[in-house]
Amino acid sequence: YWRSSETLFRRALAVTRNNSVAHVNLAQTLHEDARRHRDSQQIGDAGRKIAEAIGHYRDALRIDEYSPTAHKNYAQALSLKNQLEGPRARRDDLEEALEHFRRRLELEPRAPDRDTVHCEMGNLLGELGRFEEAADEYRRAIEISPDYAVAWLNLSRALADQNRFPEAIDAVGRALTIPPDWGEAVEPPSRVPTQSGSALASGGELEAAVEQF
């Protein structure tokens, strides 16, 4: 049973009942596998892993609806499922992910990673075309962590999507002053200003930069 984390947690589920922790642990293992498959372009394998992870997160929340970790990870899993499905993605999954991120913040309002949660919520809102709300979430992330470069970049995209280009350029300029810490909340490439646009913005070439958004 100790061959791997996956076999260990599967065994735990086989010999116990209503074990929310084991469901979360197995889901996290599958979730990480799905990310690795995605990064190596094994999309089919990633899809199968994340689908099983989602099932275990749901089981965990059925047993213990007050688990902040389960709510956050389930939301992230739904977001990854959406990325993998591309044009076939369901808006309902994004809406559900938002609900679970919100629940996570309700259960643990002072969580040290709440800036990341707000940034990820902004990403989902951007995917839903709710750009003003997305910008608000990025601002909340920045209020918590003023040097959060990813949040500044994503804020610039949300502002550009509203045709608020001067503000978008200001946000890019702020991001360029911060050494980036590229983490989970980085938007897909289609939603992040291009490097050339950022460089033009830093040089004050507003019109040329706008064309890069």
Side-chain angles (χ1 to χ4, degrees), residues 2 21 41 49 54 60 65 79 81 95 97 101 115 132 150 157 172 208:
W2 291 87
V21 173
Q41 300 300 308
K49 290 286 187 178
I54 285 171
E65 65 176 308
S79 179
K81 174 176 178 282
E95 295 283 3
F101 274 134
D115 55 347
E132 186 172 356
V150 170
R157 177 70 269 180
V172 172

Side-chain angles (χ1 to χ4, degrees), residues 165-201:
F165 296 115
E167 294 170 79
I169 297 304
D170 287 344
V172 172
R174 181 68 178 86
L176 290 171
T177 68
I178 305 167
D181 179 13
W182 302 104
E184 291 181 79
V186 179
E187 275 282 63
S190 63
R191 295 204 48 77
V192 179
T194 64
Q195 291 183 345
S196 56
S198 300
L200 289 165

Side-chain angles (χ1 to χ4, degrees), residues 29-149:
T29 299
L30 295 165
H31 197 161
E32 286 303 314
D33 286 345
R35 288 192 178 110
R36 283 192 289 272
H37 285 308
R38 176 204 58 191
D39 293 344
S40 60
Q41 300 300 308
Q42 297 172 308
I43 303 304
D45 290 336
R48 286 186 286 275
K49 290 286 187 178
I50 203 61
E52 187 178 359
I54 285 171
H56 284 289
Y57 285 134
R58 285 175 176 158
D59 287 339
L61 288 168
R62 175 182 51 80
I63 297 164
D64 179 11
E65 65 176 308
Y66 298 102
S67 168
T69 298
H71 280 288
K72 177 188 174 183
N73 290 359
Y74 179 45
Q76 290 176 330
L78 289 170
S79 179
L80 178 54
K81 174 176 178 282
N82 175 74
Q83 292 175 28
L84 294 170
E85 290 179 345
R88 298 182 294 108
R90 297 172 61 246
R91 290 177 63 89
D92 288 350
D93 286 339
L94 299 180
E95 295 283 3
E96 186 178 2
L98 282 169
E99 290 176 11
H100 284 276
F101 274 134
R102 292 188 185 105
R103 183 64 174 139
R104 199 268 194 220
L105 291 172
E106 289 172 4
L107 290 168
E108 202 170 8
R110 303 302 297 173
D113 64 345
R114 63 192 186 281
D115 55 347
T116 301
V117 173
H118 283 296
C119 197
E120 291 187 90
M121 289 174 67
N123 296 348
L124 294 174
L125 289 161
E127 291 296 326
L128 288 165
R130 292 156 59 179
F131 304 124
E132 186 172 356
E133 293 175 75
D136 288 341
E137 290 299 334
Y138 296 135
R139 290 190 184 98
R140 291 185 180 102
I142 290 164
E143 183 177 354
I144 297 164
S145 300
D147 289 337
Y148 195 169

